[in-house]
Amino acid sequence: MNVQWYPGHMAKAKRMMQENMTLIDVVIELVDARIPFSSKNPDIDSLAGNKSRVILLNKSDMADPKFTAAWKTYFEAKGFFVAPINSKTGNGIKQVQDIVMKACAAKIERDRKRGILNRPMRAMVVGIPNVGKSTFINSLVGKASAKTGNKPGVTKGKQWIRLNKNIELLDTPGILWPKFEDQAVGMRLAMIGSINDTIINTTELSLELILFLCKNYPTELVKRYEIELTEEVTDQKIASSVLDKIAIKRGCLIKGGEPDIERAALLVMDDFRNNRLGYITLEFPDLPKEPNPS
Ligand code: G4P
């Protein structure tokens, strides 16, 4: 993983994205289905201007299906075309080409009125590091693709991958950077393992996760570690007593039989990141009362 957060790097990625944006019709934005808010950079809205927009809730195999459905409704209400996918297994990928075409329908109609027929729609994949862009492109493109552009003798240009007669995809994804202004965003990115653990202390991370789980997924926590939750877990201090219980139950002990908190914290984070606690979504949308997809 090893994400590098250099300002220079970010500025270059943004410049490249701005440049590529002028070439495309539709933006395919990947977000992590477990943290659709924190894995999304709002700057993309101004960068994308009036391009057609698709949001794919990737890694939906790890998220809570009922909240994935809720996020889909939420983004659709904002006018996006949305689908949950699993790029690793290819689940949900088949529908992507249809969704891209639906997102471009208005544009195709405008083209038609101007006498432009059968022009393929050009798409670019964007998303923050580690959200699954490369895995998605590989899954979408498969083996049946033909690369266009960069023909011998032609000046080096962009590589376009022809998905079918209607869609071409830019082969390099655009990199967005998460918005770290809100501390909770950084925390959730660290929880899913998108930020190096050295940035946020693992014990603190696990206590925040335990707090969240006790409130939102207590059954999963109790079942996994065979512990009892005897009081409401409202702060890190109480969460720390839960972590003690987990350490004891799992034999994470230091000399003298005291709980080894650091080892237990690592265990909890590893269990969470590998779905051993079940399907968990870390943030929920504020659903509009009357979804009104456009
Ligand atoms: P990026 O280009 O956006 O930086 O992300 P990349 O495709 O490299 O994917 C980052 C990690 O996320 C990879 O795991 C990849 O396998 C995993 N991944 C991508 N899409 C999905 C998905 O839909 N579901 C799940 N469960 N995982 C997904 P890795 O640990 O870095 O590599 P590896 O374990 O696959 O070898």
Side-chain angles (χ1 to χ4, degrees), residues 6-77:
Y6 297 130
H9 202 147
M10 296 187 208
K12 191 172 165 214
K14 194 166 174 177
R15 263 201 316 277
M16 185 108 91
M17 174 113 61
Q18 272 163 336
E19 191 188 306
N20 288 338
M21 203 58 83
T22 60
L23 308 171
I24 59 154
D25 303 288
V26 51
V27 177
I28 304 175
E29 183 181 3
L30 259 66
V31 297
D32 191 303
R34 296 165 295 174
I35 50 166
F37 172 75
S38 295
S39 59
K40 202 173 177 328
N41 183 329
D43 285 354
I44 187 66
D45 293 337
S46 55
L47 279 170
N50 60 356
K51 306 284 175 192
S52 305
R53 303 283 296 276
V54 172
I55 290 185
L56 299 176
L57 297 156
N58 195 36
K59 307 198 187 184
S60 61
D61 53 307
M62 305 180 92
D64 184 337
K66 70 173 179 291
F67 289 113
T68 301
W71 276 110
K72 182 172 183 292
T73 307
Y74 171 84
F75 285 125
E76 282 175 350

Side-chain angles (χ1 to χ4, degrees), residues 16-193:
M16 185 108 91
M17 174 113 61
Q18 272 163 336
E19 191 188 306
N20 288 338
M21 203 58 83
T22 60
L23 308 171
I24 59 154
D25 303 288
V26 51
V27 177
I28 304 175
E29 183 181 3
L30 259 66
V31 297
D32 191 303
R34 296 165 295 174
I35 50 166
F37 172 75
S38 295
S39 59
K40 202 173 177 328
N41 183 329
D43 285 354
I44 187 66
D45 293 337
S46 55
L47 279 170
N50 60 356
K51 306 284 175 192
S52 305
R53 303 283 296 276
V54 172
I55 290 185
L56 299 176
L57 297 156
N58 195 36
K59 307 198 187 184
S60 61
D61 53 307
M62 305 180 92
D64 184 337
K66 70 173 179 291
F67 289 113
T68 301
W71 276 110
K72 182 172 183 292
T73 307
Y74 171 84
F75 285 125
E76 282 175 350
K78 290 185 177 288
F80 295 99
F81 290 78
V82 189
I85 56 163
N86 172 357
S87 296
K88 213 165 167 171
T89 61
N91 237 353
I93 297 286
K94 263 199 193 139
Q95 58 182 322
V96 171
Q97 297 191 13
D98 280 351
I99 289 170
V100 168
M101 288 314 283
K102 276 190 192 135
C104 292
K107 187 148 212 164
I108 293 168
E109 183 53 23
R110 272 201 306 278
D111 273 3
R112 197 186 62 79
K113 282 191 179 140
R114 287 160 56 205
I116 307 167
L117 297 175
N118 303 325
R119 181 178 71 85
M121 290 292 110
R122 291 193 144 183
M124 170 166 65
V125 173
V126 305
I128 64 166
N130 214 36
V131 76
K133 296 179 296 300
S134 313
T135 314
F136 166 71
I137 291 176
N138 287 337
S139 179
L140 182 68
V141 171
K143 292 188 183 72
S145 76
K147 288 205 172 183
T148 62
N150 266 10
K151 295 185 184 79
V154 178
T155 331
K156 194 172 179 323
K158 304 284 172 196
Q159 286 271 17
W160 295 92
I161 305 167
R162 183 164 280 234
L163 294 179
N164 59 35
K165 68 176 180 14
N166 300 316
I167 309 171
E168 287 181 356
L169 182 71
L170 193 60
D171 79 339
T172 21
I175 302 172
L176 294 166
W177 304 91
K179 269 262 186 270
F180 281 122
E181 279 138 36
D182 180 350
Q183 212 199 330
V185 168
M187 189 67 87
R188 290 183 201 130
L189 284 161
M191 281 180 189
I192 64 161

Side-chain angles (χ1 to χ4, degrees), residues 194-243:
S194 263
I195 301 177
N196 207 312
D197 272 4
T198 50
I199 297 177
I200 298 178
N201 172 291
T202 310
T203 305
E204 188 174 340
L205 205 56
S206 77
L207 292 178
E208 281 300 316
L209 180 64
I210 288 170
L211 254 170
F212 175 84
L213 293 173
C214 287
K215 192 165 169 214
N216 299 287
Y217 293 94
T219 321
E220 284 79 354
L221 193 72
V222 165
K223 195 169 149 220
R224 174 77 194 161
Y225 299 112
E226 299 171 310
I227 51 167
E228 268 181 55
L229 296 176
T230 45
E231 62 183 315
E232 203 186 338
V233 181
T234 47
D235 59 29
Q236 277 210 2
K237 196 155 165 256
I238 310 175
S240 162
S241 69
V242 176
L243 189 56

